Amino acid sequence: MVARNLFTVNRTLTTVKQSSKYASVVIRKHSVWTQDRVIKSPFKDVHIPNCTLYEYIWQNLDKWPERTVSVCAATGRGYTYEQAFKLSNRFAANLRTKFKIQDGDAVAVMLPNIPDYPLVSLGILEAGGVITSINPIYTAHEVQRQLKLSAAKMIVTLPEIVPTIKEALKLAQLDIPIVVVKTNDSPVPEGTALFNELSEDIHANKSILKQVRRTANDVCFLPYSSGTTGLPKGVELTHRNIIANCEQINEPIIAMHRETTATHQDVVMGALPFFHIYAATVLMFHKMSVGAKLVALAKFQPEAFLSCIEKQKTNVLMVAPPLILLMASHPAATAKTLEPIDVICNGAAPLAGSDVERLLRRMQRDVDFRQGYGLTETSPTLTVTPKGLIRYEATGPPVANTEMRIVDSDLKNLGPNETGEILVRGPQVMRGYKDNPEANKETLVEGNWFRTGDLGVADEDGILVIADRLKELIKVKGFQVPPAELESVLREHPSVNDAAVIGVPHQTKGESPKAFVVLKNGHKCTPQQLSEFVNEKVAAYKHVDDITFIESVPKSAAGKILRRVLRDQYC
């Protein structure tokens, strides 16, 4: 999905005062607008190491081998960096020897946030494989589609998810190995291999890893996105894409971490799902590259989440808007509970200024609030506000090595304070959509400028504000729901002739899917029956509980659904 990620950073007022003047100088020392109305980054270009993501993450291992890399928020089970390196190394060797994983093979990872997630991911990369991440709450119907599209050669999951996987494999008519990560005393399902044994195998033939031939320009991560519209497409992110983004957010003026030293290690809350690009890059890969500690929260519960902040002394918190609202209003969210936090990074959707102010009042501290913007297709970070810029609605200027355009409907460049579609170009932009030249042609235009599908406006300093979105994705609790997917499922019902889905405002979800259905002549069906039909096939956040029957779906001459007409008539 095109993932709109808003990065929010809160630091102490002392830090803000020290950095605000410097930030102001950097932004205003020269014009960021060219004569051709292209916005250049105000930051100095960063050097992008020519290596794989695996090599990049482990390059400073000798600085913090005994530090904790990941720990379970509930049980305290975890690994040091040295243990993670050795275990992922053995897992990688066994992927090559026992499962015949070759360079470029996709390996599906369908796991919640557990401390083993980074080890599984890095093992796949070291084996020369490509990670394709799957939401662990997906249904068999959703899983089988991604397994087929990605051509996954195997899948890593939890024992309790195996029945869903087996049903998905049956639907897809596939027969691939299943590896399970054992996190408790639950039995290992028959016919599966155990990650714990594969990673602890001291006899693993690690010499086989010398056969791996992967470069910085090879694909390493394959999340599935709906782009600006339509059904999910594989987003091909290379090692260089993600490494570039890690280096871009290392810029001191926008950095959200502190250096790991003998006396300090950042503790980063892993509440956002690692399968999502925001958490995968900004939280997991980047924070491992700087030696931080990841606290993995596998199942979200408000009290457990808030307790973990205090218990683990979490100083870096990355969340989506619903969690910001939770911290601003939940009785257990007190100034004392939130005291350890140095940095809050909000992602997935914009926040209203009033919501930010409520959180700051609850924290009882004057802190620096910043935002940014990004997408799955851009690894994800594109813009981040510099320290000291207090504009709640702003998402900042482009990060280093990044250009941006604001264009009209004819893709003609607009100027400062004019609203149009956001186009971007930089080393973090995806290689393309897997096996989808038509989608690539639509989104990568005029010399690899990526069309975000978002509407924005930038001021004279290149500071971007997101105005609206052109794309049709529905934002439900920070997750993106493509209308086309739900429409496709609705049309599978034997009584449905046509369907259209739009997003409507919802008090707690942000948005919620609303369906408009045309029944076949002579057929009868209730909204409840349709809801049950759809909801058993999709993850909970995609559920459709609001259905209206109509005589026909309004469409353009080209056959495209006129969703705005539906909003005007029925919402």
Side-chain angles (χ1 to χ4, degrees):
M1 305 170 194
V2 171
R4 176 182 290 100
N5 296 309
L6 255 88
F7 302 124
T8 306
V9 179
N10 291 312
R11 290 190 182 274
T12 64
L13 184 59
T14 302
T15 304
V16 173
K17 286 180 177 177
Q18 289 175 344
S19 63
S20 60
K21 289 183 179 179
Y22 181 50
S24 178
V25 169
V26 170
I27 294 301
R28 293 185 172 84
K29 68 180 182 180
H30 65 273
S31 174
V32 297
W33 289 85
T34 69
Q35 289 184 341
D36 296 328
R37 293 186 168 186
V38 173
I39 304 169
K40 299 282 190 177
S41 173
F43 306 118
K44 182 180 178 181
D45 281 357
V46 296
H47 169 70
I48 305 169
N50 185 27
C51 62
T52 66
L53 182 58
Y54 172 84
E55 294 165 334
Y56 178 80
I57 287 174
W58 293 124
Q59 64 182 331
N60 291 314
L61 176 63
D62 60 335
K63 293 183 178 180
W64 41 69
E66 301 303 318
R67 292 285 195 180
T68 299
V69 62
S70 58
V71 62
C72 175
T75 66
R77 182 180 67 87
Y79 304 96
T80 66
Y81 271 86
E82 186 173 35
Q83 288 172 330
F85 175 77
K86 291 180 178 179
L87 293 170
S88 63
N89 188 254
R90 293 169 186 159
F91 179 54
N94 279 322
L95 288 179
R96 299 284 293 200
T97 55
K98 296 182 178 180
F99 299 97
K100 309 305 178 185
I101 294 299
Q102 300 296 310
D103 292 354
D105 284 349
V107 177
V109 179
M110 189 174 176
L111 293 169
N113 286 12
I114 56 176
D116 316 80
Y117 204 118
L119 281 65
V120 170
S121 300
L122 290 170
I124 293 169
L125 294 182
E126 188 182 8
V130 175
I131 304 162
T132 185
S133 54
I134 302 178
N135 189 334
I137 67 171
Y138 268 9
T139 65
H141 179 81
E142 294 165 309
V143 174
Q144 61 91 21
R145 179 175 55 213
Q146 185 165 333
L147 292 178
K148 288 195 294 185
L149 290 173
S150 65
K153 296 296 189 293
M154 63 181 295
I155 186 166
V156 184
T157 190
L158 293 182
E160 53 265 38
I161 301 177
V162 169
T164 300
I165 300 297
K166 288 187 174 180
E167 184 182 350
L169 293 176
K170 185 177 179 181
L171 288 172
Q173 298 183 329
L174 291 174
D175 182 17
I176 60 174
I178 303 172
V179 173
V180 296
V181 181
K182 190 175 174 65
T183 61
N184 49 43
D185 295 330
S186 60
V188 179
E190 183 179 351
T192 66
L194 188 59
F195 167 76
N196 310 66
E197 292 180 353
L198 295 169
S199 61
E200 294 170 10
D201 179 11
I202 60 174
H203 301 294
N205 178 22
K206 291 183 286 187
S207 65
I208 198 171
L209 297 175
K210 295 178 182 178
Q211 298 176 7
V212 175
R213 294 289 184 271
R214 300 298 277 170
T215 71
N217 293 319
D218 288 321
V219 175
C220 70
F221 193 47
L222 187 66
Y224 271 73
S225 162
S226 296
T228 55
T229 184
L231 293 171
K233 298 178 280 289
V235 178
E236 295 184 315
L237 298 175
T238 67
H239 294 271
R240 187 173 188 269
N241 288 151
I242 296 178
I243 291 171
N245 216 219
C246 289
E247 287 295 309
Q248 288 165 325
I249 61 177
N250 276 339
E251 161 60 49
I253 304 171
I254 61 174
M256 296 176 277
H257 67 279
R258 291 167 57 192
E259 182 182 356
T260 300
T261 65
T263 57
H264 174 80
Q265 182 188 28
D266 279 339
V267 180
V268 186
M269 171 68 76
L272 292 178
F274 291 151
F275 66 79
H276 189 277
I277 186 62
Y278 175 21
T281 295
V282 181
L283 200 163
M284 184 170 67
F285 293 136
H286 176 263
K287 296 305 177 287
M288 289 182 71
S289 76
V290 296
K293 174 183 177 180
L294 308 178
V295 180
L297 192 66
K299 186 177 181 181
F300 181 80
Q301 295 174 325
E303 291 77 10
F305 166 72
L306 295 166
S307 173
C308 185
I309 293 173
E310 188 173 16
K311 181 181 178 181
Q312 292 284 349
K313 294 182 170 54
T314 304
N315 71 304
V316 178
L317 188 62
M318 297 182 174
V319 292
L323 294 186
I324 293 287
L325 301 178
L326 171 76
M327 291 188 293
S329 60
H330 196 283
T334 64
K336 184 177 183 299
T337 304
L338 305 176
E339 186 178 4
I341 300 172
D342 294 326
V343 178
I344 296 180
C345 180
N346 171 64
L351 277 170
S354 58
D355 293 328
V356 178
E357 290 166 355
R358 286 172 57 206
L359 174 61
L360 299 185
R361 284 196 297 270
R362 180 61 64 99
M363 295 179 75
Q364 296 181 14
R365 282 187 280 157
D366 252 346
V367 293
D368 180 21
F369 176 85
R370 295 188 284 134
Q371 297 201 69
Y373 164 69
L375 307 93
T376 302
E377 286 84 345
T378 60
S379 301
T381 315
L382 288 172
T383 70
V384 180
T385 51
K387 298 174 185 177
L389 182 64
I390 303 175
R391 285 177 54 186
Y392 292 149
E393 79 284 5
T395 66
V399 294
N401 306 59
T402 302
E403 300 172 288
M404 183 169 65
R405 295 161 56 194
I406 308 295
V407 302
D408 62 17
S409 57
D410 296 319
L411 300 187
K412 302 298 183 184
N413 288 356
L414 299 173
N417 304 313
E418 294 183 296
T419 301
E421 184 182 359
I422 304 162
L423 272 62
V424 294
R425 185 165 64 182
Q428 72 273 49
V429 175
M430 67 172 180
R431 189 166 81 178
Y433 294 116
K434 178 178 171 61
D435 301 328
N436 202 329
E438 183 177 340
N440 290 334
K441 186 177 179 180
E442 291 176 357
T443 56
L444 295 168
V445 299
E446 300 176 355
N448 281 335
W449 283 95
F450 174 67
R451 298 188 64 174
T452 67
D454 288 320
L455 291 175
V457 56
D459 65 13
E460 292 83 355
D461 296 317
I463 305 296
L464 179 69
V465 174
I466 307 300
D468 201 347
R469 67 178 183 266
L470 294 173
K471 52 184 168 286
E472 300 163 347
L473 295 175
I474 303 165
K475 286 282 190 172
V476 181
K477 292 186 174 180
F479 290 103
Q480 302 184 58
V481 179
E485 178 181 353
L486 296 177
E487 290 158 0
S488 175
V489 175
L490 280 163
R491 284 193 291 266
E492 291 177 8
H493 192 281
S495 295
V496 173
N497 184 52
D498 201 359
V501 176
I502 63 173
V504 295
H506 190 280
Q507 188 173 5
T508 59
K509 298 178 182 178
E511 283 187 308
S512 180
K514 177 179 176 63
F516 298 89
V517 173
V518 179
L519 293 177
K520 293 178 180 177
N521 289 334
H523 284 249
K524 291 184 179 180
C525 188
T526 67
Q528 182 179 351
Q529 289 172 328
L530 277 182
S531 289
E532 292 173 355
F533 177 82
V534 173
N535 295 350
E536 71 178 9
K537 294 177 178 290
V538 298
Y541 67 89
K542 299 179 185 177
H543 282 186
V544 180
D545 300 312
D546 184 357
I547 296 177
T548 298
F549 292 115
I550 58 177
E551 292 186 3
S552 64
V553 174
K555 296 181 180 179
S556 69
K560 292 187 177 181
I561 296 172
L562 299 175
R563 301 181 200 278
R564 187 173 296 278
V565 173
L566 290 171
R567 288 192 180 90
D568 292 343
Q569 290 183 356
Y570 299 97
C571 301

